[in-house]
Coordinates of all heavy atoms in Angstrom, one line a residue:
R1 N 0.8 -1.2 0.0 CA 0.0 0.0 0.0 C 0.9 1.3 0.0 O 0.4 2.3 -0.3 CB -0.9 0.0 1.2 CG -2.1 0.9 1.1 CD -3.1 0.5 2.1 NE -3.7 1.7 2.6 CZ -4.9 2.1 2.5 NH1 -5.8 1.4 1.8 NH2 -5.3 3.2 3.0
M2 N 2.1 1.1 0.3 CA 3.0 2.3 0.3 C 3.3 2.7 -1.1 O 3.4 1.8 -2.0 CB 4.3 1.9 1.0 CG 4.2 1.6 2.5 SD 4.0 3.0 3.5 CE 5.7 3.6 3.5
R3 N 3.3 3.9 -1.4 CA 3.6 4.4 -2.7 C 4.5 5.7 -2.6 O 4.5 6.4 -1.6 CB 2.3 4.8 -3.4 CG 1.4 5.8 -2.8 CD 0.1 6.0 -3.5 NE -0.8 6.7 -2.7 CZ -0.9 8.0 -2.5 NH1 0.0 8.8 -3.1 NH2 -1.8 8.6 -1.8
P4 N 5.3 5.9 -3.6 CA 6.1 7.1 -3.6 C 5.3 8.4 -3.5 O 4.2 8.5 -4.1 CB 6.9 7.1 -4.9 CG 6.6 5.8 -5.5 CD 5.4 5.2 -4.8
V5 N 5.7 9.3 -2.7 CA 4.9 10.5 -2.5 C 5.9 11.7 -2.8 O 6.9 11.8 -2.2 CB 4.4 10.6 -1.1 CG1 3.6 11.9 -0.9 CG2 3.5 9.4 -0.8
N6 N 5.4 12.6 -3.7 CA 6.2 13.8 -4.0 C 5.8 14.9 -2.9 O 4.6 15.2 -2.8 CB 5.8 14.3 -5.4 CG 6.6 15.5 -5.8 OD1 7.3 16.1 -4.9 ND2 6.5 15.9 -7.0
K7 N 6.8 15.3 -2.2 CA 6.5 16.3 -1.1 C 6.5 17.7 -1.5 O 6.4 18.6 -0.8 CB 7.5 16.1 0.1 CG 7.5 14.7 0.7 CD 6.2 14.3 1.2 CE 6.1 13.0 1.9 NZ 6.1 11.8 1.0
R8 N 6.7 17.9 -2.8 CA 6.6 19.3 -3.4 C 5.3 19.9 -3.1 O 4.3 19.2 -3.2 CB 6.9 19.3 -4.8 CG 8.3 19.1 -5.2 CD 8.6 19.3 -6.6 NE 10.0 19.1 -6.9 CZ 10.5 19.1 -8.1 NH1 9.7 19.4 -9.1 NH2 11.7 18.9 -8.3
G9 N 5.2 21.2 -2.9 CA 3.9 21.8 -2.6 C 3.5 21.8 -1.2 O 2.4 22.4 -0.9
M10 N 4.3 21.2 -0.3 CA 3.9 21.3 1.1 C 4.2 22.7 1.6 O 5.2 23.3 1.3 CB 4.8 20.4 1.9 CG 4.2 19.1 2.2 SD 5.2 18.2 3.5 CE 4.7 16.6 3.2
T11 N 3.3 23.3 2.4 CA 3.6 24.5 3.1 C 4.6 24.3 4.2 O 4.9 23.1 4.6 CB 2.3 25.1 3.7 OG1 1.9 24.3 4.7 CG2 1.2 25.3 2.6
L12 N 5.2 25.3 4.7 CA 6.2 25.2 5.8 C 5.5 24.5 7.0 O 6.1 23.6 7.6 CB 6.7 26.6 6.2 CG 7.7 26.6 7.3 CD1 8.9 25.8 7.0 CD2 8.1 28.1 7.6
H13 N 4.3 24.9 7.3 CA 3.6 24.3 8.5 C 3.3 22.8 8.2 O 3.5 22.0 9.1 CB 2.3 25.1 8.7 CG 1.6 24.7 10.0 ND1 2.2 24.7 11.2 CD2 0.4 24.3 10.2 CE1 1.4 24.3 12.1 NE2 0.2 24.0 11.5
Q14 N 2.9 22.5 7.0 CA 2.7 21.1 6.6 C 3.9 20.3 6.8 O 3.9 19.2 7.3 CB 2.1 21.0 5.2 CG 0.7 21.5 5.1 CD 0.2 21.6 3.7 OE1 1.0 21.5 2.7 NE2 -1.1 21.7 3.5
R15 N 5.0 20.8 6.2 CA 6.3 20.0 6.3 C 6.8 19.9 7.8 O 7.2 18.8 8.2 CB 7.4 20.8 5.5 CG 8.7 20.0 5.4 CD 9.7 20.6 4.5 NE 9.2 20.7 3.1 CZ 9.1 19.7 2.3 NH1 9.4 18.4 2.6 NH2 8.7 19.8 1.0
E16 N 6.6 20.9 8.5 CA 6.9 20.9 10.0 C 6.2 19.8 10.7 O 6.8 19.0 11.4 CB 6.6 22.3 10.6 CG 7.1 22.6 11.9 CD 6.8 24.0 12.3 OE1 5.6 24.2 12.6 OE2 7.7 24.8 12.4
I17 N 4.9 19.7 10.4 CA 4.1 18.7 11.1 C 4.4 17.3 10.5 O 4.5 16.3 11.3 CB 2.6 19.0 11.0 CG1 2.3 20.2 11.9 CG2 1.7 17.8 11.3 CD1 0.8 20.6 12.0
Y18 N 4.6 17.2 9.2 CA 5.0 15.9 8.6 C 6.3 15.4 9.2 O 6.4 14.2 9.6 CB 5.1 16.1 7.1 CG 5.4 14.8 6.4 CD1 4.4 14.0 6.0 CD2 6.7 14.5 6.0 CE1 4.7 12.8 5.3 CE2 7.0 13.4 5.4 CZ 6.0 12.5 5.0 OH 6.3 11.3 4.3
N19 N 7.3 16.3 9.4 CA 8.5 15.9 10.0 C 8.4 15.5 11.4 O 9.0 14.6 12.0 CB 9.6 17.0 9.8 CG 10.0 17.1 8.3 OD1 9.9 16.1 7.6 ND2 10.5 18.2 7.9
F20 N 7.5 16.2 12.1 CA 7.2 15.9 13.5 C 6.6 14.5 13.6 O 7.0 13.8 14.5 CB 6.2 17.0 14.1 CG 5.9 16.7 15.6 CD1 6.7 17.2 16.5 CD2 4.8 16.0 15.9 CE1 6.5 17.0 17.9 CE2 4.5 15.8 17.3 CZ 5.3 16.3 18.3
L21 N 5.7 14.2 12.8 CA 5.1 12.8 12.8 C 6.2 11.8 12.6 O 6.2 10.8 13.4 CB 4.0 12.7 11.7 CG 2.7 13.5 11.8 CD1 1.9 13.4 10.5 CD2 1.9 13.0 13.0
K22 N 7.1 12.0 11.7 CA 8.1 11.0 11.4 C 9.0 10.9 12.6 O 9.4 9.8 13.1 CB 9.0 11.4 10.2 CG 8.2 11.2 8.9 CD 9.1 11.3 7.7 CE 10.2 12.4 7.7 NZ 10.9 12.5 6.4
K23 N 9.5 12.0 13.2 CA 10.4 12.0 14.4 C 9.7 11.4 15.6 O 10.3 10.6 16.3 CB 10.8 13.4 14.7 CG 11.7 13.6 15.9 CD 13.1 13.1 15.7 CE 13.9 13.5 16.9 NZ 15.2 13.0 16.8
F24 N 8.4 11.7 15.8 CA 7.7 11.2 17.0 C 7.6 9.7 16.9 O 7.8 9.0 17.8 CB 6.3 11.8 17.0 CG 5.6 11.6 18.3 CD1 5.6 12.6 19.3 CD2 4.9 10.4 18.6 CE1 4.9 12.4 20.5 CE2 4.2 10.2 19.8 CZ 4.2 11.2 20.7
Y25 N 7.3 9.2 15.7 CA 7.1 7.8 15.4 C 8.5 7.1 15.7 O 8.6 6.0 16.3 CB 6.6 7.5 14.0 CG 6.4 6.0 13.8 CD1 5.2 5.4 14.3 CD2 7.3 5.2 13.2 CE1 5.0 4.0 14.2 CE2 7.1 3.8 13.0 CZ 5.9 3.2 13.5 OH 5.7 1.9 13.4
K26 N 9.5 7.7 15.1 CA 10.9 7.1 15.3 C 11.3 7.0 16.8 O 11.9 6.1 17.2 CB 11.9 7.9 14.5 CG 13.3 7.4 14.5 CD 14.2 8.2 13.6 CE 15.6 7.6 13.7 NZ 16.5 8.4 12.9
T27 N 10.9 8.0 17.5 CA 11.3 8.1 18.9 C 10.4 7.2 19.8 O 11.0 6.5 20.7 CB 11.1 9.6 19.5 OG1 11.9 10.4 18.7 CG2 11.5 9.7 20.9
Y28 N 9.1 7.1 19.6 CA 8.2 6.4 20.5 C 7.6 5.1 19.9 O 7.0 4.3 20.6 CB 7.1 7.3 21.0 CG 7.5 8.5 21.7 CD1 7.4 9.8 21.2 CD2 8.1 8.4 23.0 CE1 7.8 10.9 21.9 CE2 8.5 9.5 23.7 CZ 8.4 10.8 23.1 OH 8.8 11.9 23.8
G29 N 7.7 5.0 18.6 CA 7.1 3.8 18.0 C 5.6 3.9 17.8 O 5.0 2.9 17.4
I30 N 5.0 5.0 18.0 CA 3.6 5.3 17.8 C 3.5 6.7 17.2 O 4.4 7.5 17.3 CB 2.8 5.2 19.1 CG1 3.3 6.1 20.2 CG2 2.7 3.8 19.6 CD1 2.5 6.2 21.4
Y31 N 2.3 6.9 16.6 CA 2.1 8.3 16.0 C 1.4 9.1 17.1 O 0.7 8.6 17.9 CB 1.2 8.2 14.8 CG 2.0 7.7 13.6 CD1 1.9 6.3 13.2 CD2 2.9 8.5 12.9 CE1 2.6 5.8 12.1 CE2 3.7 8.0 11.8 CZ 3.5 6.7 11.5 OH 4.3 6.2 10.4
P32 N 1.7 10.4 17.0 CA 1.1 11.3 18.1 C -0.4 11.6 17.9 O -0.9 11.5 16.8 CB 1.9 12.6 17.9 CG 2.3 12.6 16.4 CD 2.5 11.2 16.1
T33 N -1.0 12.1 18.9 CA -2.4 12.6 18.9 C -2.3 14.0 18.4 O -1.2 14.7 18.4 CB -3.0 12.5 20.3 OG1 -2.3 13.4 21.1 CG2 -3.0 11.1 20.8
I34 N -3.4 14.6 18.1 CA -3.5 16.0 17.7 C -3.0 16.9 18.8 O -2.2 17.8 18.6 CB -5.0 16.4 17.3 CG1 -5.5 15.7 16.1 CG2 -5.1 17.9 17.1 CD1 -4.8 16.0 14.8
R35 N -3.3 16.6 20.0 CA -2.9 17.3 21.2 C -1.3 17.3 21.3 O -0.7 18.3 21.6 CB -3.5 16.8 22.5 CG -3.0 17.5 23.7 CD -3.7 17.0 24.9 NE -5.1 17.7 24.9 CZ -6.1 17.3 25.6 NH1 -6.0 16.3 26.5 NH2 -7.2 18.0 25.5
E36 N -0.7 16.1 21.1 CA 0.7 16.0 21.2 C 1.4 16.8 20.0 O 2.5 17.4 20.2 CB 1.1 14.5 21.1 CG 0.8 13.8 22.4 CD 0.9 12.3 22.3 OE1 0.7 11.7 21.2 OE2 1.1 11.7 23.3
I37 N 0.8 16.8 18.9 CA 1.3 17.5 17.7 C 1.3 19.0 18.1 O 2.2 19.7 17.9 CB 0.6 17.3 16.4 CG1 0.7 15.8 16.0 CG2 1.0 18.2 15.3 CD1 -0.2 15.3 14.9
A38 N 0.1 19.5 18.6 CA 0.0 20.9 18.9 C 1.0 21.3 20.0 O 1.4 22.4 20.1 CB -1.5 21.2 19.4
N39 N 1.3 20.4 21.0 CA 2.2 20.6 22.0 C 3.6 20.8 21.4 O 4.4 21.6 21.9 CB 2.2 19.5 23.1 CG 3.0 19.8 24.3 OD1 3.1 21.0 24.7 ND2 3.6 18.8 24.8
G40 N 4.0 20.0 20.4 CA 5.2 20.1 19.7 C 6.5 19.6 20.4 O 7.6 19.8 19.9
E41 N 6.3 18.8 21.5 CA 7.5 18.3 22.2 C 7.8 16.8 21.9 O 6.9 16.0 21.7 CB 7.3 18.4 23.7 CG 7.4 19.8 24.2 CD 7.3 19.8 25.7 OE1 7.4 18.8 26.4 OE2 7.1 20.9 26.3
I42 N 9.1 16.5 21.8 CA 9.5 15.1 21.7 C 10.6 15.0 22.7 O 11.6 15.7 22.7 CB 10.0 14.8 20.3 CG1 8.9 14.9 19.3 CG2 10.6 13.4 20.2 CD1 9.3 14.7 17.8
D43 N 10.5 14.0 23.6 CA 11.5 13.8 24.6 C 11.8 15.0 25.5 O 13.0 15.3 25.8 CB 12.8 13.2 24.1 CG 12.8 11.7 24.0 OD1 11.9 11.1 24.7 OD2 13.7 11.1 23.4
G44 N 10.8 15.8 25.8 CA 11.0 17.0 26.6 C 11.5 18.2 25.9 O 11.7 19.2 26.5
E45 N 11.9 18.1 24.6 CA 12.4 19.2 23.8 C 11.4 19.7 22.9 O 10.6 18.9 22.3 CB 13.6 18.7 23.0 CG 14.7 18.1 23.9 CD 16.0 18.8 23.7 OE1 16.1 19.6 22.7 OE2 16.9 18.5 24.4
Q46 N 11.3 21.0 22.7 CA 10.4 21.6 21.8 C 10.9 21.4 20.4 O 11.8 22.0 20.0 CB 10.2 23.1 22.1 CG 9.0 23.8 21.6 CD 7.7 23.2 22.3 OE1 7.7 23.0 23.5 NE2 6.7 22.9 21.5
Y47 N 10.2 20.6 19.6 CA 10.6 20.2 18.3 C 10.0 21.2 17.3 O 10.6 21.5 16.3 CB 10.2 18.8 18.0 CG 10.7 18.2 16.7 CD1 12.1 17.8 16.6 CD2 10.0 18.1 15.6 CE1 12.6 17.3 15.4 CE2 10.5 17.6 14.4 CZ 11.8 17.3 14.3 OH 12.3 16.8 13.1
I48 N 8.7 21.5 17.5 CA 8.0 22.5 16.7 C 7.3 23.5 17.6 O 7.1 23.2 18.8 CB 7.0 21.9 15.7 CG1 5.9 21.1 16.4 CG2 7.7 21.0 14.6 CD1 4.8 20.6 15.5
K49 N 7.0 24.6 17.0 CA 6.3 25.7 17.8 C 5.0 25.2 18.4 O 4.2 24.5 17.8 CB 6.0 26.9 16.9 CG 5.3 28.0 17.6 CD 5.0 29.1 16.6 CE 4.1 30.2 17.3 NZ 3.6 31.1 16.3
R50 N 4.8 25.4 19.7 CA 3.6 25.0 20.4 C 2.5 25.9 19.9 O 2.6 27.1 19.7 CB 3.8 25.2 21.9 CG 2.6 24.9 22.7 CD 2.8 24.9 24.2 NE 3.7 23.8 24.5 CZ 4.6 23.8 25.5 NH1 4.9 24.9 26.1 NH2 5.4 22.8 25.7
R51 N 1.3 25.2 19.8 CA 0.1 25.9 19.3 C -0.9 25.8 20.4 O -1.2 24.7 20.9 CB -0.4 25.4 18.0 CG 0.6 25.8 16.9 CD 0.4 25.0 15.7 NE 1.2 25.5 14.6 CZ 2.6 25.4 14.5 NH1 3.2 24.8 15.5 NH2 3.2 25.9 13.5
K52 N -1.5 26.9 20.8 CA -2.5 26.9 21.9 C -3.8 26.4 21.4 O -4.6 25.8 22.1 CB -2.7 28.4 22.4 CG -1.6 28.9 23.1 CD -1.8 30.3 23.6 CE -0.6 30.9 24.3 NZ -0.8 32.2 24.8
H53 N -4.1 26.6 20.1 CA -5.4 26.1 19.5 C -5.2 24.9 18.6 O -4.4 25.0 17.7 CB -6.1 27.3 18.8 CG -6.2 28.5 19.6 ND1 -7.2 28.6 20.6 CD2 -5.6 29.7 19.6 CE1 -7.1 29.7 21.2 NE2 -6.1 30.4 20.6
H54 N -5.8 23.8 18.9 CA -5.6 22.6 18.2 C -6.3 22.7 16.8 O -6.0 21.9 15.9 CB -6.2 21.4 18.9 CG -5.5 21.2 20.3 ND1 -6.1 20.5 21.3 CD2 -4.3 21.7 20.8 CE1 -5.3 20.5 22.3 NE2 -4.2 21.2 22.0
S55 N -7.1 23.7 16.6 CA -7.9 23.7 15.3 C -6.9 23.9 14.1 O -7.1 23.3 13.1 CB -8.9 24.8 15.3 OG -8.3 26.1 15.6
A56 N -5.9 24.7 14.3 CA -4.9 24.9 13.2 C -4.1 23.7 12.9 O -3.9 23.3 11.7 CB -3.9 26.1 13.5
T57 N -3.8 22.9 13.9 CA -3.1 21.7 13.7 C -4.0 20.7 13.1 O -3.6 20.0 12.1 CB -2.6 21.1 15.1 OG1 -1.7 22.1 15.7 CG2 -1.9 19.8 14.9
H58 N -5.2 20.6 13.5 CA -6.2 19.7 12.9 C -6.4 20.0 11.4 O -6.5 19.1 10.6 CB -7.5 19.8 13.7 CG -8.5 18.7 13.4 ND1 -9.3 18.7 12.3 CD2 -8.7 17.5 14.0 CE1 -10.0 17.6 12.2 NE2 -9.7 16.9 13.3
E59 N -6.5 21.3 11.1 CA -6.7 21.7 9.7 C -5.5 21.3 8.9 O -5.7 20.9 7.7 CB -6.9 23.2 9.7 CG -7.6 23.8 8.5 CD -9.0 23.1 8.2 OE1 -9.8 22.8 9.1 OE2 -9.2 22.8 7.0
T60 N -4.3 21.4 9.4 CA -3.1 21.1 8.6 C -3.1 19.6 8.4 O -2.8 19.1 7.3 CB -1.8 21.5 9.4 OG1 -1.9 22.9 9.6 CG2 -0.6 21.2 8.6
I61 N -3.4 18.8 9.4 CA -3.5 17.3 9.3 C -4.5 17.0 8.2 O -4.3 16.1 7.4 CB -3.8 16.7 10.6 CG1 -2.7 16.8 11.6 CG2 -4.2 15.2 10.4 CD1 -1.4 16.1 11.3
K62 N -5.6 17.6 8.2 CA -6.7 17.4 7.2 C -6.1 17.6 5.8 O -6.4 16.8 4.9 CB -7.8 18.3 7.5 CG -9.0 18.1 6.6 CD -10.2 19.1 7.1 CE -11.2 19.2 6.0 NZ -12.2 20.2 6.4
R63 N -5.4 18.7 5.6 CA -4.8 18.9 4.3 C -3.7 17.9 3.9 O -3.7 17.4 2.8 CB -4.1 20.3 4.3 CG -5.0 21.5 4.5 CD -5.9 21.8 3.3 NE -6.9 22.8 3.7 CZ -8.1 22.5 3.9 NH1 -8.6 21.3 3.8 NH2 -9.0 23.5 4.2
L64 N -2.9 17.4 4.9 CA -2.0 16.3 4.6 C -2.7 15.0 4.2 O -2.2 14.3 3.3 CB -1.1 16.1 5.8 CG -0.1 17.2 6.1 CD1 0.6 17.0 7.5 CD2 1.0 17.4 5.0
I65 N -3.8 14.8 4.8 CA -4.6 13.6 4.5 C -5.1 13.7 3.1 O -5.1 12.8 2.3 CB -5.7 13.4 5.5 CG1 -5.1 12.9 6.9 CG2 -6.7 12.3 5.0 CD1 -6.1 12.9 8.0
E66 N -5.7 14.9 2.8 CA -6.3 15.2 1.4 C -5.2 15.0 0.3 O -5.5 14.5 -0.8 CB -6.9 16.6 1.4 CG -8.2 16.7 2.1 CD -8.6 18.2 2.3 OE1 -7.9 19.1 1.7 OE2 -9.7 18.4 2.9
K67 N -4.0 15.4 0.6 CA -2.9 15.3 -0.4 C -2.3 13.9 -0.4 O -1.5 13.7 -1.3 CB -1.9 16.4 -0.1 CG -2.4 17.8 -0.3 CD -1.3 18.8 0.0 CE -1.8 20.2 -0.3 NZ -0.7 21.2 0.0
G68 N -2.7 13.1 0.5 CA -2.2 11.7 0.4 C -0.9 11.5 1.1 O -0.3 10.4 0.9
W69 N -0.4 12.4 1.9 CA 0.9 12.3 2.6 C 0.8 11.6 4.0 O 1.7 11.1 4.5 CB 1.6 13.6 2.7 CG 1.9 14.2 1.4 CD1 2.3 13.6 0.2 CD2 1.9 15.6 1.0 NE1 2.5 14.5 -0.8 CE2 2.3 15.7 -0.3 CE3 1.6 16.8 1.7 CZ2 2.4 16.9 -1.0 CZ3 1.7 18.0 1.1 CH2 2.1 18.1 -0.3
V70 N -0.4 11.7 4.5 CA -0.7 11.2 5.8 C -2.0 10.4 5.7 O -2.9 10.8 4.9 CB -0.9 12.3 6.9 CG1 -1.4 11.7 8.2 CG2 0.5 13.0 7.1
E71 N -2.2 9.3 6.4 CA -3.4 8.5 6.4 C -4.1 8.6 7.7 O -3.4 8.6 8.8 CB -3.0 7.1 6.0 CG -4.1 6.2 5.8 CD -3.6 4.8 5.3 OE1 -2.9 4.1 6.1 OE2 -3.8 4.5 4.1
N72 N -5.4 8.6 7.7 CA -6.2 8.5 8.9 C -6.9 7.2 8.9 O -7.5 6.8 7.9 CB -7.2 9.7 8.9 CG -8.0 9.8 10.2 OD1 -7.5 9.3 11.2 ND2 -9.2 10.3 10.2
N73 N -6.8 6.5 10.0 CA -7.4 5.2 10.2 C -8.6 5.3 11.2 O -8.3 5.1 12.4 CB -6.4 4.1 10.6 CG -5.2 4.1 9.7 OD1 -5.4 3.7 8.5 ND2 -4.1 4.4 10.1
P74 N -9.7 5.7 10.8 CA -10.9 6.0 11.7 C -11.1 4.7 12.6 O -11.0 3.6 12.2 CB -12.0 6.2 10.8 CG -11.5 6.6 9.5 CD -10.1 5.9 9.4
G75 N -11.5 5.0 13.8 CA -11.8 3.9 14.7 C -10.7 3.4 15.5 O -10.8 2.6 16.4
R76 N -9.5 3.9 15.2 CA -8.3 3.5 15.9 C -7.8 4.6 16.8 O -7.8 5.8 16.4 CB -7.2 3.1 14.9 CG -7.4 1.8 14.2 CD -6.2 1.4 13.3 NE -5.0 1.5 14.0 CZ -3.8 1.7 13.5 NH1 -3.8 1.9 12.2 NH2 -2.7 1.8 14.1
W77 N -7.3 4.3 17.9 CA -6.6 5.3 18.8 C -5.3 5.6 18.1 O -4.6 4.7 17.6 CB -6.4 4.7 20.2 CG -5.9 5.7 21.2 CD1 -6.6 6.8 21.6 CD2 -4.7 5.6 21.9 NE1 -5.8 7.4 22.5 CE2 -4.7 6.7 22.7 CE3 -3.6 4.7 21.9 CZ2 -3.6 7.0 23.6 CZ3 -2.6 5.0 22.7 CH2 -2.6 6.1 23.5
R78 N -4.9 6.9 18.1 CA -3.7 7.3 17.4 C -3.8 6.9 15.9 O -3.0 6.2 15.4 CB -2.5 6.8 18.0 CG -2.3 7.3 19.4 CD -1.0 6.8 20.0 NE -0.8 7.3 21.4 CZ -0.2 8.4 21.7 NH1 0.3 9.1 20.8 NH2 -0.1 8.8 22.9
A79 N -4.8 7.4 15.3 CA -5.2 7.0 14.0 C -4.4 7.5 12.8 O -4.5 7.0 11.7 CB -6.7 7.4 13.7
L80 N -3.5 8.4 13.1 CA -2.7 9.0 12.0 C -1.5 8.0 11.7 O -0.9 7.4 12.6 CB -2.1 10.3 12.4 CG -3.1 11.4 12.6 CD1 -2.4 12.7 13.1 CD2 -3.9 11.7 11.3
S81 N -1.1 8.0 10.4 CA 0.1 7.3 10.0 C 0.6 8.0 8.7 O -0.1 8.6 8.0 CB -0.1 5.8 9.8 OG -1.0 5.6 8.8
I82 N 1.9 7.9 8.5 CA 2.5 8.4 7.3 C 2.4 7.4 6.2 O 2.6 6.2 6.4 CB 4.0 8.8 7.5 CG1 4.1 9.9 8.5 CG2 4.7 9.1 6.2 CD1 5.4 10.5 8.8
V83 N 2.0 7.9 5.0 CA 1.8 7.0 3.8 C 3.2 6.7 3.2 O 4.0 7.5 3.2 CB 0.9 7.7 2.8 CG1 0.8 6.8 1.6 CG2 -0.5 7.9 3.4

């Protein structure tokens, strides 16, 4: 199911979150929740800018899903994964 994905056209915020997803998974072996992404920390270090409102993070994740760079698996806890 894995397919090559062209990352051109990602906004800075999309790339930041995409890289955060990869780093979080590499560090913990699971994908982060929206809250963890908005918090932006990995191993106690601020990896990306903290966001007070989760709506912007949720909207960015939605765009990454629409573009096929991230997958959502409804019904699963920690439902995000990188394609």
